[in-house]
Amino acid sequence: MTAPERETPENGSAAADDESPEALRAAAEEQAERHRADWLRAVAELDNVRKRTAREIEQARQFGVERLAADILPALDSLALAIEAAPGADAATLLEGERATQRLLLKAFERAGIAELDPTGEPFDPALHDAMVTQPSADQPPNTVLQVIQKGYLLNGRLLRPARVIVSIAPPEGSDPAPGG
């Protein structure tokens, strides 16, 4: 049986019997220094990636609403014009101006991924709706949204604000339906 061959840093398989311990030590130190330099470069690169990512996250946080803000500015301008014109304008003109401003806001919301949540006539969903009051109703099945007090909003499918609603309940037994409803 022969003694196992030692691997050297240069070729990994040459017999080490021909080399002196000093040469092996020098070769190992050289390889260790290369590994250390590679490790330091990797650590520096990782640090640079972390810093760059932190900078990009901060910029996204600061300027992420830039598009929404730019879309909302025309609505703000419209409100400013309405305030200036209010003293001499009639109610119909002011109402039309308010509707135009609302359309501008809704258009900006749509571009930003914000959608109105108007659940009138739909089944009550506690994940999307906030029940303010219950009301007996013979016209609608129980747990149906009868009226929206305040619309809710979704941001790209995620709830931004729940709709505040009035929810139907079954009328008391033996009661006559209320007139007109």
Side-chain angles (χ1 to χ4, degrees), residues 65-79 101 104-109 111-112 114:
V65 297
E66 184 176 7
R67 190 178 81 199
L68 176 61
D71 287 344
I72 290 177
L73 287 177
L76 180 63
D77 294 339
S78 177
L79 285 173
T101 301
L104 288 171
L105 281 172
L106 291 174
K107 193 174 189 182
F109 282 3
R111 282 192 224 121
I114 300 172

Side-chain angles (χ1 to χ4, degrees), residues 136-139 170-181:
S137 174
D139 298 334
E173 288 196 30
S175 68
D176 292 329

Side-chain angles (χ1 to χ4, degrees), residues 102 109 115-120 124-125 128-133 145-154 159-167:
Q102 183 183 34
F109 282 3
E116 276 188 350
L117 184 60
D118 185 357
T120 304
F124 175 74
D125 181 351
L128 299 173
H129 313 140
D130 189 6
M132 304 306 291
V133 178
V145 175
L146 294 175
Q147 182 181 349
V148 175
I149 297 169
Q150 185 180 51
K151 290 180 183 178
Y153 291 90
L154 300 171
L159 186 65
L160 193 58
R161 181 178 80 187
R164 294 181 173 192
V165 298
I166 297 174
V167 181

Side-chain angles (χ1 to χ4, degrees), residues 12-26:
S13 64
D17 294 338
D18 299 342
E19 296 185 20
S20 68
E22 293 81 25
L24 287 173
R25 181 172 178 242

Side-chain angles (χ1 to χ4, degrees), residues 2 4 16 36 60 70 74 85 96 99 112 127 132 136 138 140 147-148 158 174:
T2 62
R36 183 176 186 281
E96 183 53 39
R99 286 182 178 147
M132 304 306 291
Q140 295 289 335
Q147 182 181 349
V148 175
R158 189 167 115 190

Side-chain angles (χ1 to χ4, degrees), residues 3-116:
E5 292 182 11
R6 283 190 249 157
E7 293 184 6
T8 61
E10 292 82 26
N11 61 20
S13 64
D17 294 338
D18 299 342
E19 296 185 20
S20 68
E22 293 81 25
L24 287 173
R25 181 172 178 242
E29 285 176 357
E30 182 182 316
Q31 184 179 23
E33 187 56 38
R34 282 194 309 267
H35 287 306
R36 183 176 186 281
D38 290 346
W39 175 76
L40 287 173
R41 276 192 292 279
V43 167
E45 178 62 26
L46 180 60
D47 190 46
N48 288 339
V49 167
R50 283 184 183 142
K51 288 176 184 175
R52 184 172 47 249
T53 303
R55 232 181 3 257
E56 289 171 356
I57 289 171
E58 181 61 20
Q59 286 178 345
R61 187 189 65 75
Q62 287 179 342
F63 303 110
V65 297
E66 184 176 7
R67 190 178 81 199
L68 176 61
D71 287 344
I72 290 177
L73 287 177
L76 180 63
D77 294 339
S78 177
L79 285 173
L81 288 172
I83 291 169
E84 286 177 21
D90 62 25
T93 304
L94 288 176
L95 181 60
E96 183 53 39
E98 288 177 7
R99 286 182 178 147
T101 301
Q102 183 183 34
R103 284 191 300 270
L104 288 171
L105 281 172
L106 291 174
K107 193 174 189 182
F109 282 3
E110 183 181 321
R111 282 192 224 121
I114 300 172
E116 276 188 350

